[in-house]
Amino acid sequence: MQTRGSRKTSKDRENAALARSLPAVGRLLGSRAFRRLAAEHGPALVADLLRDEIGALRRGALAGTLSGREVREAAREGALAARVGEAARRLLAPSPRAVINATGVVAHTNLGRSVLSAAAAARVAEAATGYLDLEYDLARGARGSRHAHLEPLLERLFPGQASLAVHNNAGAILLALRALARGREAVVSRGELVEIGGSFRVPDILAVSGARLREVGTTNRTRVSDYEAAIGPRTGLILKVHQSNFRIVGFAGEASVPELGAVARKAGVPLVVDWGSGDLVDLAPLGIADEIPVRRLLDQGADLVTFSGDKLLGGPQAGVVVGRADLVERLRRDPMARVCRLDRLLICALRETLASYVRGRHFEEVPTLRMLALGADEIGRRAERLRRRIARAAPPGVAARLRIEDGVSRTGGGSSPLGERPTRLLVVESAAGDAGTMERALRLGDPPVLARIREGRLLLDLRTVLKGQDETLAERLAAALASDQTPKRKLMTSPSRTT
Ligand SMILES: *Cc1c(COP(=O)(O)O)cnc(C)c1O
């Protein structure tokens, strides 16, 4: 015991001496390298990061987890400056980063959903850097309303209907439930108590709104008579929710909007429809048949329809409520309307996006619709140009690993699960039998490229690759292919990614 104890003590003394040998923060900060870092990233941040580095080395030295050689190596001025510089750059780098979306999922929720039109983006930049008549009526010289910027355009798109825009569709539903059914019952089909995108659950939104959930029907079937039986003096509204990201097939059935509209009218309660994806135009010509345009839902008897601004509409994050003027007025007067009011940059972006629809130029100007409208042949020709370009620049043998095949793109954004468009994919076979490594190389490069993997092959869909990104994509792909030359011994398995 005695000897072991004293050995430990002498080791402790050695460790303490090693910790004491670390350079002083103050002296390091006066050096040329650290003065340069301070000028670039700010002296306070550089001093903090350096203290973190020295602190970690001191703890490692005292605990004996770092050897004397390791500590001396890591504590060299140049090594410290490199790590502090890298930490500062990582911390301050732009984030979220721009990525190339080669997944073919158009309104990809994890990638920011819709890309704004050029006009909308220009308006955002202008609005961000100056004052606006946001809530000021220039003609009267008095306070105005921020809704006044959107109402005239929404009135054109939805004649005879009132409207209100808030910061997202979840907010729009919450507001509608609160304003129209707080302390009362919201009648909802069990088949529509859905979760959308992990964080939006219809029952949870209902709970925080103060409305009581009155479930009707079963998971797979809800009849009109189920609603009729549930309606009574405590009913605040009927809520119909777009099933968005799943479909029950087989023995299934739901009450339609026209049917529910009739039930609601007879009972004298409002029918509120949460139509997440919010397509303003008929997408049936594109083969996206089960998305009903918002205007038709209103014609069919919905009293209010709520939808997102950044899904099929193709604008910024927003939630729009359209419908009966007396109901919209009740939403407007609810204190929650102030809580979820729309930001000025988003008002500008939404207005410009709506303007494209009003002009009838949405399929040309709104990127989400432009991408959805692209035909498979056009995408295939672009993929072929990309394939030839890579094959020309790459080492022999690479061309054989690239081919063009039929596939499907998806609308995404919690819109119809059946919302698929035929496309032509650029398919990359891995020489090493390991598409996961190529996928990772693309994802971790600069700019990051996101692709899909299926059955051990890399799939790129140019539907969602923006104009002007082909050259960068070709370079990134060529680099990923070059790193995939030699067959690897160890086959890494990677889960197939289908987001
Ligand atoms: C996407 C979606 C929502 C949530 O909309 P956000 O704009 O993301 O708040 C709600 N309901 C349905 C049916 C949806 O598809």
Side-chain angles (χ1 to χ4, degrees), residues 113 167-171 173 194 196 200 202 241-245 274-277 306-311 317-319 413-415:
R113 292 193 181 155
H167 65 32
N168 59 24
N169 187 33
I173 299 157
V194 295
I196 294 147
F200 178 92
V202 175
V241 183
H242 189 234
Q243 286 172 340
S244 279
N245 47 7
D274 165 16
W275 205 250
S277 51
T306 78
F307 51 94
S308 293
D310 52 357
K311 292 181 179 173
Q317 179 184 308
S415 52

Side-chain angles (χ1 to χ4, degrees), residues 482-497:
S483 70
D484 173 63
Q485 285 303 304
T486 42
K488 295 204 172 49
R489 285 207 158 270
K490 206 171 108 221
L491 271 181
M492 290 206 190
T493 49
S494 171
S496 82
R497 294 160 52 84

